[in-house]
Amino acid sequence: MAIINVAQREIRCKIVYYGPGLCGKTTNLKYIHRMVPESAKNKMISIDTETERTLFFDFLPIDLGTVHGFQTRFHLYTVPGQVLYERTRVAVLTGVDGVVFVADSQPNKMRDNIESLKELARNIQNEGKKFKDFPLVLQYNKRDMPNAVPLEQMNYYLNSQLNARSFEAVASRGVGVFDTLKYISKLVISKL
Ligand SMILES: Nc1nc2c(ncn2[C@@H]2O[C@H](COP(=O)(O)OP(=O)(O)OP(=O)(O)O)[C@@H](O)[C@H]2O)c(=O)[nH]1
Ligand SMILES: [Mg+2]
């Protein structure tokens, strides 16, 4: 839930990167953390395993300029994608204002993408929000993989009912990372 602090002229929103295991959620945040100017960011907090699988979440607060004289501050989170951590994903989603759904473009990951998106819809609805109206953007990641599923098929499997805006990405090289972030942050602000 966005917090609007009139006295301090600050708007604070929560964006969660959601998606199946190893799709590249943490990679998005790491790239943002690397590229955002020092003045606009704080420390990134990652709680992960020795093999860098997210265990609880990653957290990165950033400032994205002003809107009508209000400083906009975004708290970016990732969920752990591994199937058994659904309860943690539910916890991380509490009070969410917008979601980036990161899908893995590899053919053998399509089922995981679909399951994860279904789970997200259920969890957003359990938060008392309508998934259809909820601020959401899709990021089709790992477009550099030689066997990446064609865009039309990604849309067919993941977006034919939602009709959400989607971006292609190679998060490990930063491609599409800021396009995705800019779009979701504008969408969230526009719905306040
Ligand atoms: N080829 C390729 N590899 C990528 C891309 N984005 C991320 N990766 C790699 O995919 C692996 C998993 O990335 P993470 O960002 O840790 O995935 P995650 O979604 O946070 O995974 P969990 O924390 O387990 O849910 C890492 O080895 C990344 O370097 C991409 O666009 N292309
Ligand atoms: Mg992660």
Side-chain angles (χ1 to χ4, degrees), residues 13-181:
C13 306
K14 177 173 181 177
I15 292 176
V16 175
Y17 284 70
Y18 204 99
L22 299 177
C23 66
K25 302 173 293 295
T26 299
T27 306
N28 267 267
L29 255 65
K30 280 184 178 165
Y31 185 77
I32 295 165
H33 182 251
R34 219 170 45 241
M35 300 310 286
V36 163
E38 214 51 55
S39 57
K41 69 182 169 193
N42 284 300
K43 238 172 74 179
M44 177 166 163
I45 297 169
S46 290
I47 302 173
D48 53 23
T49 64
E50 279 163 24
T51 53
E52 296 202 340
R53 302 298 304 268
T54 303
L55 193 57
F56 196 42
F57 57 69
D58 304 299
F59 171 63
L60 173 64
I62 55 168
D63 296 326
L64 289 182
T66 55
V67 176
H68 298 305
F70 279 75
Q71 180 67 44
T72 54
R73 164 155 279 221
F74 285 83
H75 286 180
L76 309 182
Y77 286 83
T78 74
V79 296
Q82 292 181 80
V83 173
L84 75 161
Y85 294 142
E86 180 170 2
R87 286 178 66 175
T88 308
R89 287 191 285 282
V90 170
V92 174
L93 277 178
T94 307
V96 61
D97 297 302
V99 168
V100 173
F101 182 82
V102 182
D104 192 319
S105 295
Q106 298 176 95
N108 60 347
K109 292 297 169 83
M110 201 52 71
R111 190 180 291 267
D112 293 351
N113 290 330
I114 293 167
E115 285 308 314
S116 177
L117 189 57
K118 270 194 208 154
E119 183 199 89
L120 170 67
R122 201 170 61 231
N123 288 334
I124 292 291
Q125 253 134 22
N126 288 344
E127 271 255 309
K129 293 161 182 151
K130 266 201 178 149
F131 191 54
K132 230 172 71 60
D133 305 332
F134 189 75
L136 171 77
V137 60
L138 304 182
Q139 182 187 77
Y140 302 148
N141 192 32
K142 305 200 183 180
R143 298 308 296 167
D144 59 321
M145 298 304 275
N147 59 347
V149 172
L151 211 53
E152 312 79 67
Q153 276 184 46
M154 297 291 295
N155 272 317
Y156 174 78
Y157 285 117
L158 302 172
N159 203 16
S160 45
Q161 283 171 26
L162 288 172
N163 276 314
R165 181 74 196 270
S166 64
F167 292 91
E168 292 185 81
V170 185
S172 49
R173 283 195 245 129
V175 178
V177 169
F178 276 96
D179 291 338
T180 311
L181 175 61

